[in-house]
Amino acid sequence: MDGQKRNEIHSGLTVKIVLKQDQRTGKLTTGIVKDILTNSPTHPHGIKVRLTDGQVGRVKEIVIE
């Protein structure tokens, strides 16, 4: 799953996001979703979320455990 659909993402889910400062390099940060910040049902660059540690970025990958 690529994180472009809002209904696939929920609080407590482990995801890999790209932070604003890492968009050029594509470096991914793994964390647990606290809040969903994107209101639209889909977004071509990934749904924007806030992680439990306060970092904000767009979901690039949903981690399946």
Side-chain angles (χ1 to χ4, degrees):
M1 292 193 269
D2 57 9
Q4 292 182 355
K5 294 186 179 84
R6 192 175 193 275
N7 64 358
E8 295 176 349
I9 298 168
H10 55 84
S11 184
L13 190 67
T14 303
V15 295
K16 292 186 180 181
I17 65 168
V18 64
L19 302 172
K20 183 78 171 176
Q21 65 267 26
D22 295 333
Q23 284 178 349
R24 287 181 182 267
T25 63
K27 177 179 172 258
L28 297 178
T29 303
T30 303
I32 298 169
V33 176
K34 180 180 178 188
D35 302 311
I36 300 172
L37 304 177
T38 299
N39 290 324
S40 62
T42 63
H43 193 284
H45 299 128
I47 300 299
K48 189 178 277 188
V49 297
R50 179 180 294 116
L51 301 180
T52 53
D53 62 4
Q55 297 184 95
V56 174
R58 294 198 180 272
V59 177
K60 294 296 176 187
E61 195 177 317
I62 296 172
V63 178
I64 307 298
E65 297 171 354

